[in-house]
Amino acid sequence: MNAEQVLQTYEHSTSLESFLMKHCLRLRQWSLLISLFICLTVTALDFYRFPPEACYLIMLSRTSLVMIPLLILNYLFWFSPPKSILTHVPLLLTVFIGAGINHNVIHYFALLHDINYTEIGILLIIMLGCLLLVIPVFKSGMASAIIIVLYGISHYFMGLNNPVLYFSIIIFFSITLLFLLISNSSQKILIENFYLIKKLHEDSITDALTTLFNRRFFKEQFKRLLQLSERNDCNLALLLIDVDHFKSINDKFGHTAGDLVLQNIATFIKQEAHRPCDYCFRIGGDEMAVILFDTSQDKVESICNKLSALENIKTQHPNSSNTEAKCEEVPVTLSIGCAIKKKTSKSSCEEMLEASDKSLYISKNNGRNQFTIKSI
């Protein structure tokens, strides 16, 4: 498993599918359990209503098409809950369509033995599949159409070709559409809530000026990545980056130009540390940090060399109102301190921060515009 796969494994809980599953799990669990209870109850009643020769075939149909898949799904959802809303959807559709086919089979035997068999069953099946199981709307709609079409065809060949059949089919399609609309609206609300929560979370962990991650998220992510690196035997590098003489830049060119300098530096850093497992942060006024997960010393040196190559940033003078005015070049250099935790070492966040900070101090004390790397 590479670094990207490791991080995706641990970040899967933030996906839309897992969010939907988290909020719909109880509904699915109880819907499946109650469906199993209803199925067992109806099966017991069938022993009293149907003759023995018909009961055997009815039991065979209900067991193979409904009860066995329901037992499997109840076990899966109660004892091994899935992480994604899309997990086990084929099996859920199998139960849905199987229940519809089973209803038609039992209705056929009821007609043969002149037994009154209610149509409420097919409405309950449609409600289960279209609404309670939270199956994707298109798939549940297609499954419902298959069930209703099979219902119409079977009743037609059973000699029930009359206006009541056509009226029943229209009613079934209308109720299916109503359930699908309710399901679609509910799922849309959940999806909108997910993106709203995600946006709020992103805003809370992002620095507004540079769009890098902020200091709060740095503390959370650094601790998490350090634990992951120890668990998966990966190297972890922490770079602390300081803009040299940033106060002089603000004094000479103005704070607006200083903000633009920070934005351009942040963009430059993100371009160099661009892997999915690289994280860039602004942790202070002109202080930035980069965490490199599952990296090597050669890669760290390569990134540090590229960051140290930064010399000038073009910025427009804040007093100029002409957008086409010639931009001034602001001399910019970076001092970098880096600590690399090797696979075999056990280091705390404080120890890595202290090592990076000491490396940064060495870089600045030796004349700035350079980097220092320390392995721990």
Side-chain angles (χ1 to χ4, degrees):
M1 184 179 289
N2 60 30
E4 287 82 359
Q5 291 171 327
V6 169
L7 291 176
Q8 286 172 2
T9 300
Y10 288 92
E11 291 173 357
H12 178 72
S13 59
T14 61
S15 69
L16 174 60
E17 291 79 10
S18 62
F19 176 85
L20 293 175
M21 187 72 265
K22 179 181 177 181
H23 288 79
C24 298
L25 180 60
R26 283 287 175 260
L27 179 60
R28 274 191 178 177
Q29 286 176 329
W30 285 105
S31 297
L32 290 168
L33 188 61
I34 293 171
S35 298
L36 182 60
F37 173 76
I38 292 173
C39 187
L40 292 171
T41 303
V42 173
T43 301
L45 292 174
D46 288 343
F47 280 103
Y48 292 97
R49 293 190 295 174
F50 290 93
E53 62 274 12
C55 278
Y56 171 77
L57 294 173
I58 290 172
M59 278 295 298
L60 181 64
S61 169
R62 182 172 279 133
T63 301
S64 58
L65 293 174
V66 185
M67 290 183 65
I68 291 177
L70 269 179
L71 284 168
I72 294 172
L73 282 168
N74 271 283
Y75 174 80
L76 292 173
F77 277 89
W78 282 99
F79 298 101
S80 182
K83 301 297 183 183
S84 169
I85 194 74
L86 300 178
T87 306
H88 306 315
V89 165
L91 191 53
L92 290 168
L93 288 170
T94 299
V95 168
F96 183 22
I97 296 174
I101 295 172
N102 177 71
H103 181 276
N104 290 327
V105 170
I106 296 175
H107 195 260
Y108 169 75
F109 283 107
L111 289 174
L112 285 180
H113 296 89
D114 197 25
I115 297 172
N116 185 28
Y117 195 75
T118 179
E119 301 292 351
I120 294 177
I122 197 165
L123 292 177
L124 292 176
I125 292 167
I126 291 172
M127 182 176 69
L128 175 70
C130 290
L131 193 59
L132 300 179
L133 293 182
V134 202
I135 299 172
V137 173
F138 177 76
K139 293 180 180 179
S140 59
M142 292 299 294
S144 300
I146 292 172
I147 291 171
I148 296 171
V149 169
L150 289 176
Y151 170 87
I153 293 173
S154 62
H155 281 63
Y156 179 84
F157 285 104
M158 280 188 265
L160 299 177
N161 184 18
N162 54 55
V164 176
L165 173 62
Y166 302 131
F167 180 74
S168 298
I169 291 174
I170 292 172
I171 293 295
F172 292 155
F173 271 116
S174 300
I175 292 175
T176 298
L177 181 60
L178 175 62
F179 286 150
L180 290 174
L181 287 172
I182 295 172
S183 178
N184 185 58
S185 298
S186 301
Q187 291 182 36
K188 275 188 174 180
I189 291 172
L190 279 175
I191 292 170
E192 288 173 0
N193 287 343
F194 168 78
Y195 285 112
L196 177 60
I197 293 170
K198 185 177 180 181
K199 179 67 167 59
L200 291 172
H201 176 67
E202 288 175 352
D203 289 345
S204 71
I205 63 174
T206 303
D207 176 65
L209 177 64
T210 62
T211 69
L212 299 179
F213 294 121
N214 61 21
R215 187 180 185 87
R216 185 177 74 85
F217 190 60
F218 168 74
K219 294 179 179 179
E220 296 175 3
Q221 198 73 342
F222 186 31
K223 182 178 180 181
R224 188 179 75 91
L225 291 173
L226 184 60
Q227 292 172 346
L228 278 179
S229 67
E230 292 179 352
R231 194 177 307 167
N232 295 278
D233 294 326
C234 297
N235 292 341
L236 186 72
L238 171 64
L239 282 68
L240 295 182
I241 304 168
D242 191 77
V243 183
D244 296 331
H245 305 296
F246 184 68
K247 184 178 184 302
S248 300
I249 295 175
N250 276 334
D251 292 341
K252 182 177 180 180
F253 297 95
H255 289 280
T256 302
D259 288 347
L260 185 58
V261 167
L262 289 177
Q263 290 172 344
N264 288 334
I265 291 174
T267 301
F268 182 67
I269 292 173
K270 285 191 288 187
Q271 288 173 349
E272 300 305 327
H274 58 270
R275 297 182 307 161
C277 50
D278 296 338
Y279 293 85
C280 305
F281 308 85
R282 183 188 181 199
I283 58 175
D286 61 332
E287 296 173 292
M288 300 180 191
V290 178
I291 301 176
L292 305 174
F293 183 79
D294 191 25
T295 189
S296 64
Q297 182 147 344
D298 289 341
K299 290 180 181 177
V300 173
E301 288 181 1
S302 175
I303 289 176
C304 288
N305 275 313
K306 291 176 181 177
L307 294 178
S308 298
L310 182 66
E311 292 181 353
N312 296 300
I313 289 179
K314 288 185 177 181
T315 181
Q316 188 175 342
H317 196 279
N319 295 327
S320 175
S321 58
N322 183 4
T323 57
E324 298 181 358
K326 185 178 179 180
C327 293
E328 296 185 61
E329 283 194 344
V330 179
V332 174
T333 59
L334 303 176
S335 295
I336 304 168
C338 175
I340 303 177
K341 186 197 77 67
K342 297 295 185 180
K343 297 178 182 180
T344 55
S345 69
K346 301 289 183 181
S347 303
S348 66
C349 295
E350 291 75 16
E351 289 171 338
M352 282 200 71
L353 274 169
E354 185 179 357
S356 297
D357 198 49
K358 286 181 178 178
S359 297
L360 177 60
Y361 178 79
I362 292 171
S363 296
K364 296 176 78 170
N365 204 40
N366 288 341
R368 305 177 188 268
N369 191 23
Q370 56 186 276
F371 62 88
T372 304
I373 298 176
K374 182 179 180 180
S375 297
I376 59 174

